[in-house]
Amino acid sequence: MRILLVGAGGVGGAVVKIAARHGFFSRMVVADYDVERARSAAQGVGDPRFVPVQADASDQAAVAALLREHHCDLLLNATDPRFVMSLFRAALDAGCHYLDMAMSLSRPHPDRPFEECGVKLGDEQFALADRWQDRGTLALLGMGVEPGMSDVFARHAADELFDDIEEIGVRDGADLVVEGLAFAPSFSTWTMIEECLNPPVVYESHRKWYTTEPFSGPEVFEFPEGIGALECVNVEHEEVVLIPRQVEAGRVTFKYGLGSEVIETLKTLQRLGLDSTDKVRAGGVEVSPRDVVAACLPDPAAIGPQMRGRTCAGTWVKGRKDGVAREVYLYHVVDNQWSMQEYGAQAVVWQTAVNPVIAMELIAENVWTGAGVFGPEAFPARPFLDRLNAYGSPWHLREHACG
């Protein structure tokens, strides 16, 4: 396999470090708007398979030309969601496979934003599914940790753990602390603002997809391995629109243990209009407030040495097996100390990056195959979960008492 990786930031850089230990590809072209960042990621592993180049993710034609120039079989998108459609279309034009970790952006319903969906996450991509099928190429959407690993957990639960599923709830929590910094998102600030302040989506089989208010539905969830009880709230996320396409369940939700300080900070940004992506004029230049906020905060890729604690991604499933009620939590925990020592990558970006690397290996070996546009829950889960264990960071299952 020959791969074009677009985006050499935190997750892209971690992809390079993880992939360098595996032999399923012959070349990975590492592209970034900042060629020095691409060069640092590619040359940092001392492996001639990695080649740095400069690329503008918003330039569809240039990216398609780059794919053809290097005879790439797959484009891995490690940029933020603003560039999804240009990269998605570039891969389609070039006739190669495509993989991302965040899908095309949503747009709220113009009149009832907290009740009805407008344009859902990924709708623009799924609208082109027939073209991908006609070309015989695969677009695998949302193949990070959440979405991604969480969707694989849902598929595994449906295939092996349950006969009927009442509810699937993705639950994310951490006890991570960044020493010396009052507010330091552990992943893209731009993306965090987008997903946390948009109307969250909920799926119910009798109602299909609908929206609610940001940070709604608070519940306390007990996270494993010492992280403990955290209040989780509804947040817009891809799993809710992906999982019901392939897995039959009465209800699907995503809730995130953000914490009251993070929620209040995000609400303040919204009140001040600092979440806006519309450009304003300031000091003779035009810039979007959200880009300014992101520029003022620490780079998530650089905070690893100051970070301590663990992050947990998982999927809680409730249903019945052999006529008996069952409730489980399938989860994956990464300790920042381990990921920094082993890979030089902080826990959240490493946990995100390992999943597309495994998925690319499965595609390269024709274990995951298909033509069209799909999410991770469309493919058999066991091969992925076995590879995750083999990569040295095992997943776990916790049984919950039913009563």
Side-chain angles (χ1 to χ4, degrees):
M1 177 179 277
R2 296 167 69 91
I3 300 160
L4 173 62
L5 166 64
V6 184
V11 173
V15 164
V16 170
K17 293 173 182 177
I18 297 167
R21 303 189 182 191
H22 300 274
F24 64 88
F25 65 99
S26 60
R27 170 169 289 200
M28 184 178 290
V29 180
V30 182
D32 198 279
Y33 191 78
D34 181 351
V35 72
E36 288 304 316
R37 189 160 67 169
R39 188 173 290 119
S40 176
Q43 295 177 352
V45 292
D47 185 333
R49 292 180 298 168
F50 296 89
V51 179
V53 300
Q54 195 278 337
D56 181 350
S58 67
D59 190 335
Q60 177 182 330
V63 173
L66 196 59
L67 287 164
R68 295 186 183 100
E69 177 187 348
H70 291 274
H71 307 288
C72 292
D73 304 293
L74 182 145
L75 186 158
L76 171 57
N77 176 2
T79 65
D80 74 52
R82 286 174 292 181
F83 304 106
V84 162
M85 289 310 297
S86 60
L87 296 176
F88 181 77
R89 291 192 176 103
L92 179 62
D93 290 348
C96 72
H97 301 308
Y98 169 89
L99 194 156
D100 64 30
M101 291 161 271
M103 291 153 51
S104 60
L105 292 170
S106 65
R107 292 192 294 276
H109 191 281
D111 302 315
R112 297 162 59 88
F114 304 133
E115 296 168 298
E116 296 182 25
C117 295
V119 175
K120 299 192 302 300
L121 293 165
D123 276 357
E124 290 183 78
Q125 291 171 284
F126 279 106
L128 298 177
D130 288 347
R131 290 187 59 190
W132 283 85
Q133 190 169 20
D134 291 344
R135 294 216 64 164
T137 49
L138 170 65
L140 175 52
L141 312 185
M143 194 58 250
V145 56
E146 293 170 339
M149 183 194 299
S150 51
D151 303 62
V152 174
F153 285 152
R155 175 63 185 266
H156 176 65
D159 286 351
E160 300 190 26
L161 305 179
F162 290 86
D163 297 322
D164 300 289
I165 294 176
E166 178 182 333
E167 184 168 355
I168 296 173
V170 179
R171 299 293 182 264
D172 181 297
D175 61 2
L176 293 168
V177 175
V178 183
E179 295 173 353
L181 296 173
F183 185 71
S186 56
F187 62 100
S188 165
T189 301
W190 198 98
T191 304
M192 182 182 190
I193 293 172
E194 177 75 12
E195 67 184 26
C196 289
L197 294 179
N198 275 354
V201 179
V202 175
Y203 174 85
E204 293 180 356
S205 57
H206 66 283
R207 188 177 173 183
K208 304 306 180 188
W209 291 280
Y210 65 93
T211 56
T212 181
E213 294 189 5
F215 315 119
S216 60
E219 67 174 52
V220 176
F221 190 84
E222 185 75 28
F223 288 91
E225 301 191 23
I227 294 174
L230 297 173
E231 185 178 77
C232 298
V233 294
N234 282 316
V235 169
E236 181 191 49
H237 236 249
E238 287 91 342
E239 293 96 320
V240 180
V241 300
L242 284 174
I243 289 172
R245 290 175 173 270
Q246 299 287 337
V247 177
E248 202 170 304
R251 193 167 192 262
V252 182
T253 58
F254 176 95
K255 294 190 179 184
Y256 196 176
L258 289 168
S260 58
E261 289 186 12
V262 171
I263 291 173
E264 283 307 310
T265 299
L266 290 167
K267 286 181 176 179
T268 299
L269 291 176
Q270 188 174 47
R271 291 187 194 107
L272 297 175
L274 295 176
D275 62 317
S276 174
T277 59
D278 296 331
K279 290 185 176 181
V280 297
R281 179 167 289 277
V285 299
E286 288 193 343
V287 62
S288 82
R290 190 185 300 186
D291 286 341
V292 172
V293 172
C296 290
L297 290 171
D299 180 355
I303 61 176
Q306 298 165 263
M307 184 184 287
R308 56 180 172 83
R310 296 145 298 180
T311 183
C312 178
T315 304
W316 164 75
V317 187
K318 179 181 180 181
R320 301 184 74 82
K321 178 68 175 178
D322 298 326
V324 178
R326 189 180 194 188
E327 193 173 325
V328 303
Y329 183 56
L330 303 100
Y331 69 91
H332 182 257
V333 171
V334 178
D335 188 300
N336 189 71
Q337 183 179 1
W338 174 84
S339 64
M340 287 298 298
Q341 288 178 347
E342 186 72 15
Y343 285 91
Q346 56 105 321
V348 175
V349 300
W350 188 91
Q351 189 182 45
T352 303
V354 69
N355 301 287
V357 176
I358 294 173
M360 289 190 298
E361 185 174 39
L362 294 173
I363 293 169
E365 297 178 2
N366 292 315
V367 177
W368 280 6
T369 61
V373 179
F374 299 97
E377 59 287 316
F379 301 94
R382 179 59 70 176
F384 180 96
L385 297 175
D386 289 345
R387 304 278 174 122
L388 186 62
N389 290 339
Y391 273 46
S393 187
W395 65 282
H396 304 277
L397 183 152
R398 182 181 70 186
E399 291 276 358
H400 290 199
C402 296

